[in-house]
Amino acid sequence: MAEERRPKQCTVVLPTESMKAMAESIGVGQLQEESCAALSEEVSYRIKEIAQDALKFMHHGKRRKLTTSDIDHALKLKNVEPLYGFQSQEFIPFRFASGGGRELHFYEEKEVDLSDIINTPLPRVPLDVSLKAHWLSIEGVQPAIPENPPPAPKEQQKAESTEPLKVVKPGQEEEGSIQKGQGAISAEAKGKKEGLMRMKPRSTHELSVEQQLYYKEITEACVGSCEAKRAEALQSIATDPGLYQMLPRFSTFISEGVRVNVVQNNLALLIYLMRMVKALMDNPTLYLEKYLHELIPAVVTCIVSKQLCLRPDVDNHWALRDFAARLMAQSCKTFSTTTNNIQSRITKTFTKSWLDEKTQWTTRYGCIAGLSELGPDVIKTLILPRLTVEGARIKAVSEGPVVSNIDKIGADHVQSLLLKHCASVIAKTRPLPDNMEQYRADYGYLGPTLCSHVVKARAQAALQAQQVNRTTLTITQPRPTLTVSQSGIGGSGGSRSPSIIKVPSSLTLMSTRPGTPTQPSPPATKYIVMATSAGASSTQQVLDGSLVITLSSSSGSSVTSTVASATSTLQPLVKLESRGAGGLGGSRPLQKYIVVSLPTSASSSLESKSGMLPPSSSSTSPISLEAGMKMDHTGYVPNGTLLPI
Amino acid sequence: MAAVQDGQLNLEVEKDIKTEITNDGSGNINANSSSPGSTSSGGKSKSPAGSGEDQQTLLAVLQFLKRNKLTESVDILRREAGLSADADDSPVSESAGAGSGGVPSVGADGGDANSLLSRVSIATPVAPPATAPPKVVAASGGEDQPDVNVVLSAYSQQGDPVLYPLYYNGLKKFIESVLDCHRAELSQVFYPLFVHMYLELVYNNHENEAKQFFEKFSGDQECYYEEDLRILSSMSKKEHMKGNETMLDFRTSKFVLRISRDSYQLLKRHLQERQNNQIWNIIQEHLYIDIFDGMPRSKSQIDAMSGSLAGEGKRDANKAKVFYGLLKEPEIEVPLDDEDEEAENEEGKPKKKKPKKDSMGSKSKKQDPNAPQQTRIPLPELKDSDKLDKIMNMKEATKKIRLGPDNLPSICFYSFLNAYQGLTAVDFTDDSSLIAGGFADSTVRVWSVTPKKLRRVKSAADLSNIDKESDDVLERIMDEKTASESKILYGHSGPVYGISFSPDRNYLLSSSEDGTVRLWSLQTFTCLVGYKGHNYPVWDTQFSPYGYYFISGGHDRVARLWATDHYQPLRMFAGHLADITCTLFHPNSNYVATGSADRTIRLWDVLTGNCVRILTGHKGPIHSLAFSPNGKFMASGATDGRVLLWDVGHGLMVGELKGHTDTIYALKFSRDGEILASGSMDNTVKLWDTLKAFDDVELDDFTAATGHIHLPENSQELLLGTYMTKSTPVIHLHFTRRNLLLAAGAYNP
């Protein structure tokens, strides 16, 4: 195996050009080729020698990373003066230059203005070393506390759901974590496993008393009346690493909850449940694939159901549909594979009911929203060709005889939805000029309005392009992590991540959180804004807080403004980007901002539970679920019921 | 060189026995290498040819050797036998010098002088134990750079470089063609042969041939030699060989192979038939073949034991008797017994505990037959405070949890936060009240993990005002103003790599990159002594379980035994071929174990300074050691992620625990020895069932005699639990007196 590698080790030497360049740098010109070769060999050998010694220091320093100080110490061993003042950054600060047929990599030593150094404020003093104790194991069982890693890492969950047979193999690494503290029976189990090789493991999810209590509190808080508690509960769901065991319960809770509340037209509860879905999806330690058969029908229901609220003419159920559609798109993106075909099945479902003549305006709206969230490609192939037909239908409602108020509102919403999504796509794909008449010919009734939207979208895109150009400089820096902190501590949190230091005695932290989630930034809570290149569809989900605004304020198309307002507290960079994203829909692959609040990630779990629900506020959830229920779960059935309603 | 003849071959065996190298214990690697031919013939303390008859035989042998122009052997034999060069006829010696054209320029005379010198210098450390245990064993110049040219000159023999691959290939073909049972054994020859042939090529400036040779055959070598091969591959010029440590290791020590007699005969016959002198020379000069009678070993048996820098330990190296038993506990009156019993009465089960305590008491009264004499090495007197501590210890021991596969310990993890990758060493006091950390920023920090805060003793001026007669004088001397949870000790000028608390909790030792070991007072929190002796980084230091003595080991490959009140070491243990990476005292304080980057563990006798065990089998530098509480077993962990278990008395490997994926930095047996905890860089703590591991080993006389053991393949069954931390490498483990496991490491976000 190593045969290929070893000869390489034998021959790797520094290029002779480097020798030349170095010689020139100290004033020795015209070095002979031979001497260069001899030098480079010698230098390579010495470098290797030093590197090997430096490794020793790394091992004894109990590190995995070789540092510059290791090399200094290795040099000291050889009685060589160490390199003073070589500060390593996170990345190797070598620069590249070429010219005159030669290529050079060099370390740029900038001239430093001393007055700059003197005048810059001192960096924050690093936190002092401290000692913290926790239970790694109690009589052989590892407690699920934030200090310990989650019981089942996401990779394992993923492996279990995608390649169930692999996990069963005996003697594998994962087994260690499963067998925890059951060493006595492991031998016996091993024998059994040989026989069970081809079968999926039946895993029983038994919950401890604490977990049952937690489950009860969390679900009650999620659907209860207190918004503050709900925010805390959702936060806990989104961050707690130990929820793996409870996942089947949550999934059932949501699916049953949606079923009941759709019948009862309880809009508020549906919104709460969808926010739970969102929180579960946001949890970095959970892998939901196994539970999609329950979650997807619930979400799709919330998108396309005929009626979601008691007063369809007044209540803003459109926002819920938008929100659920975005969830749907997100899960398509995350979980769709060639085996389960989620995306294509979902697309088919939406298209089918959209094409149906008898479909209500509400469902119609949901279908279009669901489809358009799936991305520009879907809009282009499925929605644009139907614009004429749809335009005629809208025209019939708005200009024809007054049928009912509800229909009119529905048609209005569909129209604005179509305009919003299609305009950006057309702006990108259709060549100029934007001719009103041409548009009418192509898209029928909606043509002229669409045209003006497209013009607007183009203008905005152009504007944004400038801004993006201006900002890309900052964005494409090696570490696109900027920290916005409300308490004004200054923005360099990400690198050293003092998060664990701040492990709060969580009760106090919880109490400092504001009562409403509309202000997503409690004092001393840090938000890391990360930019990743992803579709724009999820941009609006950026802030939990902003979504709340969307849902509670009853203006239909308020997404743009809310995002802007919610982010207005952040730095201008973010504001610009997110506004553009909202305004243009999916016009271009935009930066996606994930806002993660740091300290709370460590403060979730059991402690938060205790602070969350005093027993007095027993807000009865409309759905009564036994907390202590037990169920066997045999995994996700790929052909399970996916169809909504 | 001389053609291989039958008679000579027979002699070869004899010579092997004669040149039994005590390189290990000799305390001097370099002096040995001064003689051109023999690499490491230490001062074997053989009585100089006692009877006349012996002398006769020896002379005859000498004559024979000279006839065959084996000057080096002559040299060796002469030294071994204690015959001076002048004793036998000088004309022969002259002719030998003239005849040996291949022998390097270092003349015979110079060689003799050297050998005489070395005899003198070696005589001190290897003085037989019986004569007088010298308090200070003078280590003769362990750190002088050996004369590299002399060392290397052995390579000067010229062969046609083109033929090297042919020779090697021929041997390879031959070994592949032999019976399966011999093949595994003979394959051991490949690696040392490969290395020496490569070095010879390099030494003789056949750079390209060397490279080709390396490329052609490096792939054949066992994967666990990869690190060495990497170092070797970078060496492509003669100049590189000077000062390269790995190189020197290969030269100064013979690579030890254990081969059964049958296999050896097979090899010998083959080489004779082929007249393959090149290879035969290497085998003779650079390899030490330890021949045993009996069945050839299997591949797995060989793999278990090989992997060290210089082959396996010789069987004879592990023959010395080791008193692994525990010392008798001093009998201490337990004055607080009544109170204790009251407490137990409150708990409601006094009957159960009473007999247990008695049994414990009786156990300690019996003298263990394997224990060393109580006064074998002088141990410090017990102070009153020590006695109090012993009583506390015994009390705690009664409350100890009995561990086992069904009763796993709880683990409390101490995370060092904000250490910024700088935590390098951790230690707990035996009573688990203090925890100390060594840091890369040269500081040592001590924390109190009990509510009792750390206080300094008052200044001298204030102390004089204290009423010395009062009962609470010990309280009064403490300065209440200095009370804090942690104290920082400044003094080192480089990363601190090893720390150790004294058993009485009054002192703390720290060893550092700056080459010093420092002794700190935990009363005043100041540095008391800086022990200078190591010139290079000191990787580890450890207090004796009885205090007073401590051991340190570092980059200079010499472990030093110190007493706290001497500024110079009492013993120097030289023999390791690479850095000493970890050190540990045996529970009875009579022995010291050192683990090294040469992938061996050595056990040293504190009294005599001799190496009494060489344990091979690890495939990477050893970073942790642990003795079982009864002193009978030892565990070791290395960068290869494996834990090996050893029977100290027999010098045998008795188990292999696989499961870790990275360097094991911490090992600890539970207080009763039932469970072994291992902590690793891979962020896990694993618990192993050692009772079962030691029970599973069947030790009959044969295996004990030959050291060829079949390792049970059961490390998965022995694994009792794996506990992941959240990105925190585990660098120290400690069982409290009640068998609660404490672990420590720095959180590494």
Side-chain angles (χ1 to χ4, degrees):
Chain A
M1 43 136 225
E3 254 167 298
E4 286 169 29
R5 239 176 336 128
R6 275 188 201 140
K8 245 190 192 170
Q9 294 164 359
C10 185
T11 51
V12 169
V13 284
L14 291 174
T16 48
E17 287 85 49
S18 307
M19 294 302 121
K20 264 192 197 142
M22 281 176 215
E24 277 165 26
S25 74
I26 54 163
V28 180
Q30 301 305 318
L31 208 59
Q32 296 281 317
E33 192 64 36
E34 276 170 36
S35 21
C36 275
L39 262 178
S40 76
E41 206 158 315
E42 179 68 17
V43 169
S44 317
Y45 171 72
R46 297 296 164 199
I47 287 178
K48 280 178 199 172
E49 215 178 24
I50 287 163
Q52 276 154 6
D53 276 341
L55 271 183
K56 251 180 219 174
F57 285 94
M58 183 192 79
H59 278 302
H60 283 282
K62 277 119 185 163
R63 275 176 278 118
R64 276 207 196 82
K65 231 189 225 169
L66 193 72
T67 64
T68 46
S69 64
D70 290 334
I71 292 173
D72 283 351
H73 290 138
L75 286 171
K76 211 174 136 194
L77 271 192
K78 301 251 168 245
N79 257 335
V80 181
E81 188 123 334
L83 301 167
Y84 293 110
F86 192 98
Q87 296 295 320
S88 86
Q89 312 287 319
E90 276 298 305
F91 57 96
I92 304 170
F94 283 113
R95 306 251 332 234
F96 175 77
S98 64
R102 286 169 65 178
E103 295 179 337
L104 268 184
H105 291 268
F106 62 97
Y107 172 51
E108 194 180 27
E109 286 178 292
K110 283 191 191 126
E111 271 183 32
V112 183
D113 192 354
L114 267 183
S115 60
D116 276 0
I117 295 178
I118 295 164
N119 290 333
T120 42
L122 288 172
R124 247 186 327 148
V125 177
L127 290 154
D128 199 16
V129 183
S130 60
L131 201 59
K132 185 174 186 294
H134 74 268
W135 290 107
L136 186 65
S137 145
I138 296 171
E139 289 173 3
V141 182
Q142 190 161 30
I145 50 174
E147 286 88 349
N148 287 330
K154 195 172 181 179
E155 292 74 36
Q156 190 193 329
Q157 295 177 37
K158 188 171 180 179
E160 264 174 24
S161 53
T162 49
E163 291 164 283
L165 288 179
K166 227 180 182 176
V167 190
V168 207
K169 271 186 198 157
Q172 251 192 344
E173 200 52 43
E174 286 97 316
E175 253 178 77
S177 54
I178 301 165
Q179 284 182 359
K180 234 163 270 163
Q182 304 167 2
I185 56 155
S186 68
E188 172 196 5
K190 216 176 190 176
K192 271 186 196 163
K193 267 177 196 155
E194 299 296 331
L196 292 174
M197 264 303 266
R198 303 290 304 164
M199 282 174 63
K200 256 179 81 53
R202 271 171 74 88
S203 47
T204 347
H205 296 266
E206 271 182 58
L207 298 189
S208 65
V209 181
E210 290 85 1
Q211 281 173 317
Q212 290 176 19
L213 275 173
Y214 173 80
Y215 172 80
K216 190 162 165 266
E217 303 262 327
I218 284 282
T219 46
E220 279 174 8
C222 277
V223 295
S225 55
C226 176
E227 186 58 39
K229 268 177 207 149
R230 177 160 32 257
E232 280 174 22
L234 290 174
Q235 179 80 34
S236 173
I237 294 177
T239 53
D240 199 304
L243 295 183
Y244 172 60
Q245 296 274 313
M246 275 173 270
L247 203 46
R249 267 81 170 180
F250 280 126
S251 155
T252 316
F253 176 83
I254 290 165
S255 125
E256 294 288 314
V258 168
R259 190 178 306 179
V260 172
N261 285 294
V262 160
V263 176
Q264 296 180 348
N265 290 328
N266 197 336
L267 179 64
L269 276 172
L270 288 174
I271 291 173
Y272 299 153
L273 289 168
M274 284 304 106
R275 285 170 68 188
M276 266 180 89
V277 176
K278 165 102 175 92
L280 283 174
M281 283 178 130
D282 285 348
N283 191 319
T285 63
L286 294 179
Y287 193 74
L288 297 180
E289 223 262 5
K290 274 191 195 173
Y291 309 99
L292 288 181
H293 67 288
E294 284 187 316
L295 293 178
I296 287 189
V299 174
V300 173
T301 304
C302 288
I303 301 175
V304 297
S305 176
K306 261 184 278 184
Q307 200 178 353
L308 288 170
C309 49
L310 290 171
R311 297 164 300 163
D313 46 342
V314 188
D315 288 335
N316 184 12
H317 57 96
W318 312 105
L320 172 62
R321 291 177 199 274
D322 282 337
F323 182 53
R326 256 175 262 129
L327 278 181
M328 195 59 238
Q330 191 187 338
S331 48
C332 279
K333 215 177 290 159
T334 333
F335 302 110
S336 189
T337 61
T338 44
T339 40
N340 60 19
N341 268 333
I342 293 175
Q343 170 139 11
S344 68
R345 283 154 76 185
I346 289 292
T347 318
K348 248 180 244 163
T349 312
F350 283 143
T351 330
K352 201 172 144 225
S353 55
W354 186 25
L355 295 183
D356 193 344
E357 280 300 313
K358 286 187 254 58
T359 311
Q360 300 250 342
W361 281 108
T362 46
T363 310
R364 204 168 281 279
Y365 178 90
C367 291
I368 297 168
L371 283 175
S372 45
E373 290 295 345
L374 290 173
D377 282 342
V378 179
I379 295 177
K380 205 172 132 191
T381 49
L382 290 175
I383 298 182
L384 291 189
R386 294 262 314 161
L387 270 182
T388 328
V389 185
E390 208 56 36
R393 199 190 300 274
I394 292 166
K395 188 180 177 191
V397 174
S398 53
E399 291 178 4
V402 177
V403 194
S404 78
N405 195 24
I406 294 175
D407 274 359
K408 196 161 166 22
I409 295 173
D412 277 352
H413 272 100
V414 169
Q415 180 176 349
S416 58
L417 181 75
L418 282 172
L419 287 176
K420 187 178 81 182
H421 285 296
C422 295
S424 57
V425 176
I426 292 173
K428 241 168 119 186
T429 52
R430 194 185 162 98
L432 287 166
D434 297 322
N435 189 336
M436 200 76 90
E437 288 311 306
Q438 194 62 41
Y439 269 81
R440 186 186 290 282
D442 286 352
Y443 304 115
Y445 169 72
L446 288 175
T449 8
L450 195 57
C451 180
S452 62
H453 270 84
V454 170
V455 171
K456 240 188 266 170
R458 283 194 207 274
Q460 221 162 26
L463 182 72
Q464 199 193 17
Q466 283 177 348
Q467 285 159 349
V468 168
N469 279 345
R470 209 175 56 213
T471 48
T472 33
L473 272 180
T474 27
I475 290 166
T476 52
Q477 283 218 332
R479 307 182 73 246
T481 319
L482 71 137
T483 310
V484 186
S485 76
Q486 285 273 302
S487 47
I489 304 174
S492 69
S495 58
R496 286 245 153 124
S497 172
S499 61
I500 185 156
I501 310 138
K502 289 206 173 165
V503 172
S505 53
S506 59
L507 281 178
T508 46
L509 186 124
M510 281 309 199
S511 58
T512 57
R513 284 183 67 90
T516 54
T518 42
Q519 294 163 321
S521 36
T525 308
K526 275 188 184 173
Y527 289 91
I528 294 185
V529 184
M530 287 185 290
T532 56
S533 55
S537 54
S538 47
T539 317
Q540 290 101 331
Q541 302 175 16
V542 162
L543 296 166
D544 263 338
S546 70
L547 283 168
V548 175
I549 305 169
T550 322
L551 293 170
S552 51
S553 70
S554 57
S555 70
S557 58
S558 62
V559 185
T560 322
S561 62
T562 42
V563 173
S565 72
T567 50
S568 62
T569 52
L570 307 181
Q571 291 192 351
L573 163 73
V574 180
K575 191 175 158 189
L576 282 171
E577 281 297 85
S578 45
R579 178 194 280 156
L584 284 171
S587 66
R588 59 172 70 234
L590 282 166
Q591 300 281 337
K592 173 178 164 193
Y593 292 95
I594 306 162
V595 180
V596 194
S597 69
L598 265 184
T600 36
S601 65
S603 72
S604 48
S605 170
L606 297 171
E607 290 116 324
S608 58
K609 170 198 76 186
S610 56
M612 208 163 10
L613 274 188
S616 60
S617 70
S618 55
S619 51
T620 45
S621 67
I623 317 124
S624 59
L625 273 176
E626 288 168 278
M629 63 189 165
K630 241 186 234 177
M631 68 188 227
D632 285 353
H633 184 74
T634 43
Y636 170 52
V637 190
N639 292 323
T641 50
L642 254 184
L643 277 177
I645 314 169
Chain B
M1 295 283 281
V4 180
Q5 292 167 3
D6 240 346
Q8 202 264 320
L9 282 169
N10 287 340
L11 191 113
E12 188 58 40
V13 183
E14 199 184 321
K15 200 184 94 184
D16 280 345
I17 300 160
K18 287 239 170 75
T19 50
E20 264 330 71
I21 307 172
T22 45
N23 172 22
D24 337 302
S26 70
N28 191 336
I29 332 158
N30 312 316
N32 298 337
S33 51
S34 54
S35 70
S38 76
T39 49
S40 53
S41 62
K44 167 94 176 170
S45 55
K46 209 176 169 184
S47 62
S51 62
E53 198 184 306
D54 277 359
Q55 190 129 16
Q56 287 276 308
T57 342
L58 277 168
L59 283 174
V61 172
L62 272 176
Q63 296 252 320
F64 175 84
L65 286 174
K66 275 173 200 156
R67 228 183 9 248
N68 288 303
K69 293 174 185 151
L70 293 166
T71 36
E72 289 149 22
S73 311
V74 174
D75 257 19
I76 298 164
L77 193 57
R78 223 186 257 147
R79 231 179 313 135
E80 291 294 314
L83 296 170
S84 74
D86 315 299
D88 54 332
D89 40 355
S90 51
V92 182
S93 127
E94 259 175 38
S95 76
S100 60
V103 174
S105 55
V106 188
D109 296 29
D112 278 351
N114 276 346
S115 65
L116 274 173
L117 265 178
S118 68
R119 208 173 349 139
V120 173
S121 59
I122 287 164
T124 339
V126 211
T131 45
K135 193 94 198 258
V136 178
V137 173
S140 37
E143 283 150 315
D144 301 349
Q145 271 295 332
D147 189 351
V148 183
N149 283 323
V150 178
V151 172
L152 296 178
S153 60
Y155 276 131
S156 64
Q157 49 179 316
Q158 275 279 16
D160 187 351
V162 186
L163 290 179
Y164 275 59
L166 289 180
Y167 287 147
Y168 190 87
N169 235 350
L171 187 72
K172 193 172 148 192
K173 283 215 181 86
F174 161 71
I175 289 178
E176 272 163 10
S177 69
V178 298
L179 282 177
D180 280 359
C181 61
H182 299 298
R183 190 186 304 150
E185 286 212 312
L186 292 181
S187 303
Q188 298 177 81
V189 177
F190 281 139
Y191 174 67
L193 213 56
F194 169 81
V195 170
H196 285 291
M197 288 174 94
Y198 177 77
L199 290 178
E200 249 176 54
L201 284 172
V202 170
Y203 183 80
N204 293 318
N205 287 325
H206 304 299
E207 197 182 319
N208 288 331
E209 283 86 355
K211 254 182 202 164
Q212 276 165 15
F213 183 76
F214 191 92
E215 275 169 39
K216 198 162 176 191
F217 299 113
S218 64
D220 299 346
Q221 311 307 328
E222 298 284 352
C223 53
Y224 39 79
Y225 292 120
E226 203 179 323
E227 294 250 312
D228 287 341
L229 288 177
R230 200 176 299 146
I231 295 173
L232 212 59
S233 73
S234 64
M235 222 170 352
S236 55
K237 279 201 173 3
K238 190 176 171 181
E239 292 76 43
H240 296 163
M241 296 172 90
K242 288 179 193 166
N244 188 295
E245 289 152 0
T246 321
M247 224 319 288
L248 282 176
D249 294 336
F250 275 114
R251 286 295 307 117
T252 52
S253 60
K254 285 196 172 188
F255 199 93
V256 181
L257 304 171
R258 283 189 202 175
I259 293 186
S260 72
R261 189 172 294 282
D262 295 348
S263 309
Y264 180 67
Q265 296 290 353
L266 218 62
L267 179 70
K268 200 166 69 178
R269 210 171 306 136
H270 166 76
L271 291 176
Q272 268 174 273
E273 279 166 14
R274 292 292 184 84
Q275 294 286 308
N276 206 338
N277 293 338
Q278 202 72 39
I279 288 182
W280 185 243
N281 282 339
I282 291 176
I283 289 180
Q284 268 184 288
E285 280 174 28
H286 304 305
L287 308 192
Y288 178 95
I289 297 183
D290 197 357
I291 299 166
F292 61 88
D293 293 304
M295 285 284 289
R297 293 185 294 168
S298 68
K299 174 96 175 111
S300 64
Q301 278 176 318
I302 291 168
D303 278 349
M305 300 284 287
S306 56
S308 99
L309 201 60
E312 300 178 36
K314 275 173 236 128
R315 276 173 303 149
D316 296 42
N318 291 339
K319 282 283 191 300
K321 168 123 177 97
V322 171
F323 302 100
Y324 57 79
L326 300 185
L327 294 177
K328 208 168 59 173
E329 286 289 314
E331 279 168 44
I332 301 167
E333 296 291 312
V334 184
L336 301 171
D337 220 347
D338 301 337
E339 196 184 299
D340 205 32
E341 226 147 73
E342 270 175 27
E344 276 170 19
N345 275 327
E346 276 167 18
E347 279 166 34
K349 30 183 178 179
K351 281 173 194 167
K352 253 191 176 172
K353 288 199 171 156
K354 187 81 178 172
K356 214 191 255 173
K357 203 189 246 168
D358 286 348
S359 70
M360 232 181 56
S362 63
K363 211 199 282 173
S364 65
K365 270 166 209 148
K366 232 191 305 167
Q367 173 72 31
D368 188 337
N370 289 311
Q373 277 185 342
Q374 206 71 12
T375 53
R376 192 163 176 268
I377 60 166
L379 291 172
E381 292 267 313
L382 279 186
K383 289 176 290 191
D384 285 350
S385 59
D386 296 333
K387 283 179 184 161
L388 273 176
D389 197 54
K390 283 252 188 280
I391 291 164
M392 278 301 291
N393 194 352
M394 279 160 72
K395 268 197 206 163
E396 294 258 318
T398 57
K399 293 174 187 156
K400 189 165 54 186
I401 301 163
R402 274 202 87 75
L403 298 177
D406 305 321
N407 204 0
L408 294 175
S410 300
I411 307 172
C412 180
F413 201 100
Y414 284 93
S415 306
F416 286 78
L417 307 176
N418 315 320
Y420 305 118
Q421 303 239 338
L423 182 73
T424 45
V426 177
D427 196 27
F428 286 94
T429 52
D430 188 60
D431 69 348
S432 318
S433 64
L434 301 177
I435 181 170
F439 291 85
D441 61 2
S442 316
T443 59
V444 176
R445 287 158 197 257
V446 184
W447 280 267
S448 167
V449 288
T450 56
K452 200 177 152 193
K453 294 200 166 168
L454 300 174
R455 290 170 303 175
R456 222 173 260 164
V457 172
K458 283 179 185 162
S459 68
D462 292 339
L463 281 177
S464 59
N465 299 332
I466 291 176
D467 172 18
K468 286 163 195 78
E469 300 305 314
S470 72
D471 290 338
D472 59 344
V473 68
L474 284 179
E475 270 301 305
R476 288 193 187 198
I477 58 169
M478 301 315 255
D479 190 351
E480 208 53 52
K481 276 177 291 201
T482 60
S484 64
E485 267 177 27
S486 81
K487 293 260 186 263
I488 307 180
L489 307 174
Y490 297 103
H492 281 295
S493 61
V496 178
Y497 289 118
I499 49 174
S500 174
F501 278 107
S502 74
D504 61 4
R505 292 188 301 283
N506 281 329
Y507 305 105
L508 176 70
L509 276 173
S510 62
S511 70
S512 158
E513 188 268 342
D514 61 15
T516 61
V517 179
R518 280 176 186 271
L519 182 75
W520 309 85
S521 163
L522 297 182
Q523 301 293 332
T524 60
F525 292 97
T526 52
C527 181
L528 301 177
V529 196
Y531 299 95
K532 290 173 188 170
H534 295 274
N535 285 328
Y536 290 106
V538 189
W539 296 132
D540 200 8
T541 185
Q542 190 85 35
F543 250 115
S544 149
Y546 290 88
Y548 186 59
Y549 299 110
F550 67 92
I551 176 94
S552 66
H555 179 72
D556 60 7
R557 306 157 180 216
V558 181
R560 288 165 163 81
L561 180 87
W562 313 73
T564 46
D565 55 0
H566 287 60
Y567 65 88
Q568 281 181 322
L570 305 184
R571 296 280 186 281
M572 296 177 69
F573 305 114
H576 274 298
L577 300 173
D579 300 32
I580 289 171
T581 47
C582 52
T583 55
L584 186 66
F585 262 95
H586 189 272
N588 69 19
S589 198
N590 277 265
Y591 297 92
V592 162
T594 54
S596 163
D598 68 7
R599 310 190 281 274
T600 63
I601 301 156
R602 283 168 188 253
L603 194 68
W604 310 86
D605 190 335
V606 167
L607 180 69
T608 61
N610 287 338
C611 175
V612 288
R613 291 284 178 272
I614 303 175
L615 308 172
T616 61
H618 272 298
K619 319 285 188 242
I622 290 144
H623 274 278
S624 53
L625 293 169
F627 275 107
S628 68
N630 61 10
K632 212 173 161 218
F633 299 103
M634 187 165 73
S636 60
T639 52
D640 58 7
R642 301 178 320 145
V643 177
L644 296 183
L645 302 174
W646 309 90
D647 183 323
V648 175
H650 294 99
L652 287 181
M653 189 195 298
V654 291
E656 180 187 14
L657 307 175
K658 284 188 253 184
H660 281 295
T661 56
D662 210 330
T663 311
I664 294 159
Y665 280 118
L667 280 173
K668 202 75 162 195
F669 281 94
S670 67
R671 293 273 168 167
D672 297 319
E674 287 129 333
I675 280 183
L676 175 69
S678 61
S680 159
M681 196 70 190
D682 64 11
N683 304 342
T684 56
V685 174
K686 284 182 195 278
L687 302 177
W688 309 87
D689 187 349
T690 45
L691 273 194
K692 192 162 174 235
F694 295 136
D695 282 348
D696 284 356
V697 175
E698 75 278 2
L699 262 187
D700 50 50
D701 290 340
F702 175 74
T703 49
T706 56
H708 306 151
I709 195 148
H710 288 278
L711 285 182
E713 271 292 324
N714 59 353
S715 56
Q716 284 313 307
E717 291 165 33
L718 299 175
L719 181 63
L720 296 177
T722 303
Y723 306 98
M724 280 282 278
T725 67
K726 212 173 180 178
S727 171
T728 310
V730 186
I731 65 170
H732 192 75
L733 291 167
H734 173 79
F735 274 97
T736 68
R737 290 170 176 174
R738 299 188 187 190
N739 264 339
L740 172 74
L741 180 56
L742 306 180
Y747 179 69
N748 231 348

